[in-house]
Amino acid sequence: MIDLDDTLRSTISANLAVHDRLELPLDGRRHAAVAILLVDSVAGSDQVDPFGATADDLSVIPSDVSDLDGRMAHVAGGASFVLCRRSAGLNRHASQWALPGGRLDAGETAIEAALRETDEEIGVRLGPDSVLGLLDDYATRSGYVITPVVVWGGSDVEIVPHPGEVLAAYRIGLHQLTRDDSPRFVSIPESDQPVVQVPLGGDLIHAPTGALLVQFRWVALDGRANERVHDFEQPVFAWG
């Protein structure tokens, strides 16, 4: 496990500060922001996840899914980030994995939008002083440019998912991102670019969320400044 402490905060801040962030033009696309929200978690506190996936749900994943059940359990412990399972009633990307976030309102910055959406979606209200830095923009197949904002939530954070937007919110230990089998890549006939997959719990996290998490690991945790993920492909089920 990785401790959520001042050393980690300083390390992440310093690594983000020397990263030459890739900023993409909108070119008619909509601008969105997400928060990579860093909090604490207790190992063993997530032994059961009541929300799984059906065989049909998993069948769209472009790889072997025989050992997957779609549940997010046994992933907590130490410094963590918050991952949401989107509500099944949403019009777009229902039930998919996502970081807290959404579209920028008129006149908003990416930082303001990420903090607002974190409050609205999971009930965590933080100020600009909690922001450690930004990662590269990522352009999605569905017409968005996403700006990831790394946010320090701290150890005493209560998460209350908004029932209309978030089915459940999970604290995922950062050590899960540094596994030897992560990330992994598969090919699909629809694209020349590799589809990125981040194995977590009983599921695989794909781009755009998966790509952002990989860059967070490489840049913020490993200190590999200027490692890019903008050309990591999304699976076809996320194109719409």
Side-chain angles (χ1 to χ4, degrees):
M1 291 190 299
I2 299 173
D3 292 333
L4 187 82
D5 55 20
D6 290 340
T7 298
L8 179 66
R9 180 170 185 163
S10 297
T11 298
I12 292 175
S13 296
N15 288 341
L16 293 174
V18 298
H19 175 67
D20 185 15
R21 193 179 89 83
L22 178 66
E23 186 174 353
L24 298 177
L26 293 182
D27 289 338
R29 295 170 295 206
R30 292 156 289 187
H31 198 181
V34 297
I36 300 178
L37 175 63
L38 304 179
V39 298
D40 210 357
S41 67
V42 177
S45 61
D46 62 339
Q47 298 184 31
V48 178
D49 179 8
F51 308 109
T54 66
D56 285 344
D57 293 334
L58 296 172
S59 67
V60 300
I61 295 176
S63 58
D64 181 14
V65 296
S66 58
D67 60 342
L68 302 180
D69 61 7
R71 289 183 166 80
M72 196 59 63
H74 304 285
V75 292
S80 306
F81 68 94
V82 177
L83 185 67
C84 299
R85 190 191 298 272
R86 290 168 59 84
S87 172
L90 294 175
N91 292 329
R92 296 171 63 87
H93 306 299
S95 302
Q96 290 184 14
W97 296 111
L99 298 164
R103 289 181 61 175
L104 272 65
D105 286 343
E108 269 190 324
T109 66
I111 288 175
E112 290 168 343
L115 294 176
R116 173 181 55 77
E117 290 282 351
T118 299
D119 183 15
E120 292 176 0
E121 292 189 351
I122 58 174
V124 177
R125 180 170 296 181
L126 298 165
D129 59 334
S130 65
V131 175
L132 304 187
L134 281 66
L135 290 166
D136 289 1
D137 288 347
Y138 181 92
T140 74
R141 288 276 191 170
S142 57
Y144 285 88
V145 171
I146 300 176
T147 299
V149 182
V150 182
V151 181
W152 188 267
S155 57
D156 299 321
V157 171
E158 181 182 5
I159 297 173
V160 183
H162 185 290
E165 299 188 50
V166 177
L167 179 63
Y170 303 80
R171 299 174 188 238
I172 316 290
L174 298 185
H175 62 282
Q176 295 287 336
L177 297 180
T178 62
R179 290 165 38 173
D180 291 340
D181 64 344
S182 180
R184 66 190 217 183
F185 300 90
V186 296
S187 299
I188 57 173
E190 296 86 355
S191 175
D192 294 331
Q193 302 299 326
V195 171
V196 64
Q197 297 180 326
V198 178
L200 291 177
D203 213 341
L204 297 169
I205 311 303
H206 296 85
T209 299
L212 306 184
L213 292 176
V214 170
Q215 191 179 53
F216 173 76
R217 172 197 173 170
W218 287 347
V219 173
L221 298 181
D222 296 347
R224 295 162 56 181
N226 303 329
E227 289 278 6
R228 306 300 181 191
V229 298
H230 63 284
D231 58 351
F232 290 175
E233 183 61 273
Q234 302 172 241
V236 175
F237 69 78
W239 286 15

